Amino acid sequence: MADSLATISSLRKSFGDLKAVDDLSFSIRQGETFGLLGPNGAGKTTTISMLVGLLKPDSGTVSIGSPECSNASDPTLPRVRKLVGVAPQTLSIYEAMSAKENLEFFGQLYGISGTKLRERVAWCLDFAQLADRAKSRVSTFSGGMKRRLNIAVALLHEPAVLLLDEPTVGVDPQSRNHIFECIQTLREQGMTILYTTHYMEEAQRLCDRVAIVDHGKLLALDTVDHLLRQYGGASVVTADLETTPNGVEIPGTRTGNTIRFEAQHPLEEVARLSGKGVAFQTLNIAQPNLESVFLTLTGRKLRDE
């Protein structure tokens, strides 16, 4: 997984006085799911727009495909665009057409025809669990069904890199879970994926590595486990006590029978207290997550208003 299929270097893009992307650099390795995690307005969609050639960087470079791919640094070229599948945050499907018609139309734009097109359309409908609604107008679909079709369109031409920009925005829990299952299947098949989101639980669940961005800047980039170890802080234990033997020192703060303390190894601390006769009525252990990582890096929550 050492080869990079997409690389951006020192990328910058401003809109007037707003620095949307500010000296951003990262590489996406072949076969990994790479998360771009940040709040709304962090520059994620602008970055994807430059990756696919919809926006021209003020400075910096974009490269898509293997190093030997000719002209990989120009994402506007057809041969480079064929390497990429994009499911944008703003749905790129036609609501007056059926699901099948949408797939056939986009397939033809990619130069797919005949038996190959029929096979790819059938595969995409099955993958998105829309085969039973193939001939239904997209205008009759739920938000989640539209998102699934949007992803299917991005996969139609069998791209080397799949770019998913906030793919679960506005979907119901059932469709969100199905999207997660689709992404997991693609991961197992070796698909290279760039996944942008402002939901830390999605990045934590799906991504091999995560780049945390804010105000267009890269704050940290590593595996989820390494980010949690470096920036996540301690686990927080909250408990209601049933009994406390005399002389046992309770860590943290105590209000009545409720205690709260931080610990790097919470289960060991709970076991130590139990061994001294402390009985717990309720026990909750909140482990570090990417929300706490973002809080450490920026001083605020990921989805502050």
Side-chain angles (χ1 to χ4, degrees), residues 66-85:
S66 57
E68 63 272 13
C69 177
S70 175
N71 298 314
S73 60
D74 187 354
T76 65
L77 292 176
R79 72 177 332 192
V80 178
R81 284 191 169 180
K82 283 186 176 181
L83 298 172
V84 181

Side-chain angles (χ1 to χ4, degrees), residues 148-213:
R148 282 147 49 192
L149 180 60
N150 204 45
I151 295 173
V153 167
L155 291 167
L156 185 63
H157 61 296
E158 300 178 275
V161 183
L162 177 64
L163 308 183
L164 301 176
D165 190 13
E166 299 276 6
T168 63
V169 168
V171 307
D172 58 274
Q174 182 178 356
S175 288
R176 174 174 290 189
N177 286 332
H178 178 65
I179 290 171
F180 291 163
E181 291 170 3
C182 289
I183 294 169
Q184 186 61 46
T185 298
L186 293 171
R187 289 180 66 190
E188 293 169 357
Q189 293 173 352
M191 173 67 73
T192 303
I193 301 171
L194 172 60
Y195 189 101
T196 82
T197 183
H198 63 279
Y199 296 116
M200 65 88 188
E201 64 274 11
E202 294 186 3
Q204 194 160 333
R205 173 176 175 175
L206 298 171
C207 299
D208 300 300
R209 289 190 303 148
V210 174
I212 298 177
V213 294

